[in-house]
Amino acid sequence: MKRILVGIIIVLVALLVFKTCSDKKEEQSILQENSMLIQQQIQNVSKLVVTEGHFAEVYNYKDSQQLFGPLITAEKKALVVVNADVTVAYDLSKIVFKVDEENKILQITSIPEPEVKISPDYEYYDVTADFLNQFDANDYNKIKKSVKESLLKKVENSTLKTNAQNRLLSELSKFYVLTNSLGWTLKYNDNPINKIEELKAIKELELQ
């Protein structure tokens, strides 16, 4: 009888150890699956968050050179009409993040800066130049540089960047929804995100 009881106890202990090991393996498998799912979802949204706009610019270019002192002035001028397509984008493939499987934490440590791309189309009108002050490549480069600087200022004062930021925050919110549904914690740097509004508030402060 005693041997039977000892045998039963050994069997029960073996079953308990097996179940514990099995549960741990299953939990580890779920953690790895969740980690892979999170990384896959981040890759899926690693697309450009793009806002597009169109700007028109009329630019008057004038250059005067004095020859032989103030005796002779040679001038050149041009009227330039510029139509430009502008895009503001965030390349989310450049997001830097850490996945802590043990503590179930997705930590985003860096968000890429917005990329502004300007594609201008130049049309030149009323191009005139004195014989001693002709147009050359340097003049066209000056025009393009001035137009680009002017367009960048217009972009800064427009709603393009704000719209792109809203799109960015919308994409980042997907990370919160995903981690929350899996029982994970989302952090932006060292700040735990307990609701979407907190993520938006933190990122908006950085974008200002």
Side-chain angles (χ1 to χ4, degrees):
M1 185 69 179
K2 187 176 180 180
R3 290 182 179 179
I4 295 174
L5 289 174
V6 172
I8 292 173
I9 292 173
I10 292 174
V11 170
L12 290 175
V13 170
L15 288 173
L16 181 61
V17 171
F18 176 79
K19 187 177 186 304
T20 302
C21 293
S22 178
D23 289 344
K24 286 184 177 179
K25 286 183 179 179
E26 184 177 355
E27 183 180 351
Q28 184 64 27
S29 177
I30 292 173
L31 275 174
Q32 291 178 350
E33 287 178 5
N34 288 346
S35 176
M36 291 176 62
L37 175 62
I38 287 173
Q39 295 185 53
Q40 181 63 40
Q41 289 301 315
I42 291 176
Q43 291 176 359
N44 288 342
V45 297
S46 293
K47 59 186 178 183
L48 291 178
V49 182
V50 179
T51 302
E52 297 180 339
H54 182 83
F55 292 88
E57 179 92 2
V58 177
Y59 181 73
N60 284 296
Y61 178 76
K62 185 176 181 181
D63 178 81
S64 298
Q65 293 184 8
Q66 290 186 342
L67 306 174
F68 310 108
L71 298 177
I72 300 176
T73 300
E75 294 186 345
K76 54 186 170 185
K77 61 181 180 177
L79 177 67
V80 186
V81 177
V82 183
N83 288 287
D85 291 321
V86 180
T87 61
V88 181
Y90 291 90
D91 187 354
L92 297 187
S93 65
K94 297 179 181 178
I95 287 179
V96 180
F97 65 93
K98 299 177 182 178
V99 177
D100 183 349
E101 292 183 5
E102 182 178 353
N103 298 304
K104 296 183 179 181
I105 295 173
L106 169 63
Q107 183 179 18
I108 299 174
T109 59
S110 178
I111 302 294
E113 293 296 318
E115 301 172 358
V116 179
K117 182 179 179 181
I118 299 176
S119 303
D121 179 38
Y122 299 90
E123 294 185 17
Y124 293 86
Y125 298 92
D126 191 25
V127 179
T128 58
D130 291 337
F131 178 76
L132 297 176
N133 190 14
Q134 295 290 317
F135 269 89
D136 57 25
N138 188 48
D139 293 299
Y140 292 105
N141 289 334
K142 285 182 181 179
I143 291 173
K144 290 179 180 179
K145 181 180 179 181
S146 297
V147 169
K148 184 176 181 180
E149 290 174 352
S150 177
L151 287 173
L152 283 173
K153 289 180 181 179
K154 284 190 173 184
V155 171
E156 290 292 335
N157 295 326
S158 72
T159 59
L160 278 183
K161 276 197 170 182
T162 302
N163 293 339
Q165 289 167 8
N166 290 336
R167 290 280 304 278
L168 170 65
L169 291 171
S170 176
E171 294 297 325
L172 294 180
S173 297
K174 295 178 182 178
F175 300 153
Y176 170 78
V177 173
L178 176 62
T179 53
N180 189 55
S181 66
L182 296 175
W184 285 50
T185 299
L186 174 65
K187 282 187 175 182
Y188 184 75
N189 287 323
D190 294 323
N191 300 297
I193 306 301
N194 298 312
K195 50 186 178 180
I196 293 178
E197 288 72 17
E198 292 179 0
L199 176 62
K200 292 181 177 180
I202 291 172
K203 193 56 192 167
E204 282 174 349
L205 286 175
E206 291 193 0
L207 294 172
Q208 288 177 357

